[in-house]
Amino acid sequence: MADGTVRIDGNSLRLAGGVQVRFIRTLRLPETGTHPLPPGLGEFPLRRVEDYPETVPAEWLARGGVMLPVYLREAMWLSFGGTSEPAALQVGVGKVCAVSGKPWSPRPARNPQNYVVLPRQPWLDGINSGKGTVRQFVAVPLGLGATVEGQVTGEEVWGGVQLQSFPLNDTALHAWREEQRRLAEAAEQRRRSAEAAGYGAAMPMAPGSAPQWGAPAPAPAAAGSAPRAAAAMGLGVGGSMRQEVYKDDRPLSDWATTAAGRVFVHLVTPPEWRRITGEAPPPSPVDRAAYTRAGLPWFDYYDQDAADLDPTDALGEVKPVGDWLGDDHTPWQPPSPQQVKPLGDAPGKPVVDGEW
């Protein structure tokens, strides 16, 4: 996708340059203490805004992009698995950078760094809020001041999530591809040498099959009815977890100065999702105590060869949503040590971008 388009592939967003982003449902952490990475509980479904012109708000049509349904206080994380070539990906929450805490920028920047480096950064669970930690993304309505946007800027205008990717420039990309070619040739030579020495041939990988996805359900709308305003949602923060946001070890000049693709991700309440799309929203999040009792895994991830970015003052001072919405009365069941695991297709129609 060299034309700058963004497409939905199943429940993945595919940006030009090979960047893939999925939005993953997860357990909401307590707002005290620091925890391992919570598990994924399935993907949020994605739909193009422009496919529902009769039922989405007019300002959403103007901004374009995609939408997903999320419950009040539901947590999410962003997965970047499947991304192929190096990319600098900006992640905005209400047009506040989740890495630097600075306002949304049209290009990569340093001091502070305002992007994550792919594919080295496998995921992002929240805002960069502490040394080696992030604070979990948690959905809250606009208008309370609880979002990252509201706390950093003093107003809540945008909500949602914003993504923008930058590839390597032509010179740096050519050098990277040449290095990958040399590495592949060296690996193939080692494989052949092992075969010749009698160690057996490598077993072929079974080809994977891409999931088949149907078209979105037609939007229900009364004849002649105008789209009404939807309950706008943004991202605040929840509990702290151990996760590094990696420092870029490339010179800033290696990155292109023009984005390969960008997309505005609107967050929709489950009732609005049903009204807009005619589809049932996902079931409410699983009870975290039940998940832990079932013995399912949590994760710790650490890359000893990478440097962690220092947090910025703006993001370090963001308060958790419990300070705005009240205490969480759900009992917390910490995982046992055995549950914490160390971790060392045809595209759809283009997603229309708009003014934001």
Side-chain angles (χ1 to χ4, degrees):
M1 289 184 292
D3 56 355
T5 57
V6 177
R7 301 178 189 272
I8 296 176
D9 182 6
N11 288 327
S12 298
L13 278 177
R14 293 191 178 273
L15 285 72
V19 171
Q20 176 182 319
V21 181
R22 295 180 300 138
F23 296 83
I24 309 297
R25 308 181 78 202
T26 191
L27 297 178
R28 184 161 49 87
L29 298 173
E31 294 175 359
T32 57
T34 300
H35 306 274
L37 300 178
L41 300 175
E43 301 166 344
F44 288 94
L46 296 171
R47 298 290 181 264
R48 300 191 315 163
V49 166
E50 67 185 283
D51 288 334
Y52 305 93
E54 302 299 324
T55 49
V56 297
E59 63 267 27
W60 292 17
L61 286 173
R63 294 172 188 171
V66 300
M67 56 187 172
L68 64 82
V70 63
Y71 287 83
L72 174 66
R73 277 185 151 183
E74 185 172 11
M76 71 168 62
W77 53 275
L78 277 59
S79 169
F80 309 128
T83 296
S84 53
E85 296 184 337
L89 180 69
Q90 293 176 327
V91 180
V93 286
K95 294 187 71 173
V96 173
C97 178
V99 176
S100 70
K102 298 296 184 181
W104 186 254
S105 169
R107 62 186 59 190
R110 294 275 176 82
N111 303 316
Q113 181 177 313
N114 68 349
Y115 56 91
V116 294
V117 182
L118 307 185
R120 163 158 271 180
Q121 189 83 38
W123 46 64
L124 186 67
D125 287 62
I127 64 169
N128 180 30
S129 59
K131 188 65 176 177
T133 65
V134 300
R135 291 205 75 120
Q136 191 174 40
F137 292 132
V138 176
V140 288
L142 301 189
L144 301 176
T147 62
V148 175
E149 176 186 3
Q151 295 188 58
V152 172
T153 70
E155 57 182 0
E156 294 179 319
V157 176
W158 300 100
V161 177
Q162 298 77 39
L163 302 172
Q164 185 165 253
S165 67
F166 296 82
L168 293 172
N169 62 36
D170 290 345
T171 301
L173 181 59
H174 176 74
W176 180 84
R177 286 174 173 170
E178 281 297 301
E179 177 64 16
Q180 298 305 301
R181 182 185 60 79
R182 288 193 294 271
L183 291 173
E185 288 178 350
E188 176 64 13
Q189 183 60 45
R190 289 193 297 272
R191 186 189 69 80
R192 291 182 178 182
S193 297
E195 280 188 37
Y199 292 108
M203 294 297 290
M205 294 293 290
S209 57
Q212 301 300 311
W213 304 93
S225 62
R228 74 181 190 190
M233 299 279 281
L235 290 180
V237 302
S240 178
M241 71 192 78
R242 291 184 288 274
Q243 183 175 93
E244 294 175 315
V245 179
Y246 296 127
K247 183 177 181 180
D248 189 6
D249 56 8
R250 291 180 176 274
L252 185 63
S253 58
D254 274 8
W255 299 109
T257 57
T258 301
R262 69 171 199 165
V263 61
F264 197 111
V265 183
H266 304 266
L267 305 182
V268 186
T269 64
E272 286 296 296
W273 177 264
R274 184 184 295 274
R275 182 189 67 80
I276 290 170
T277 68
E279 301 177 30
S284 60
V286 69
D287 173 75
R288 60 196 185 196
Y291 187 97
T292 299
R293 287 195 301 269
L296 298 173
W298 293 66
F299 303 97
D300 261 337
Y301 181 88
Y302 178 68
D303 185 342
Q304 64 181 359
D305 297 324
D308 181 40
L309 280 179
D310 291 329
T312 63
D313 291 340
L315 293 181
E317 295 173 358
V318 172
K319 304 299 182 186
V321 299
D323 286 11
W324 304 80
L325 302 179
D327 292 336
D328 180 4
H329 298 293
T330 304
W332 172 246
Q333 298 287 329
S336 68
Q338 293 77 19
Q339 286 177 258
V340 181
K341 308 297 183 183
L343 295 175
D345 18 51
K349 297 178 181 178
V351 174
V352 171
D353 188 23
E355 297 296 327
W356 48 274

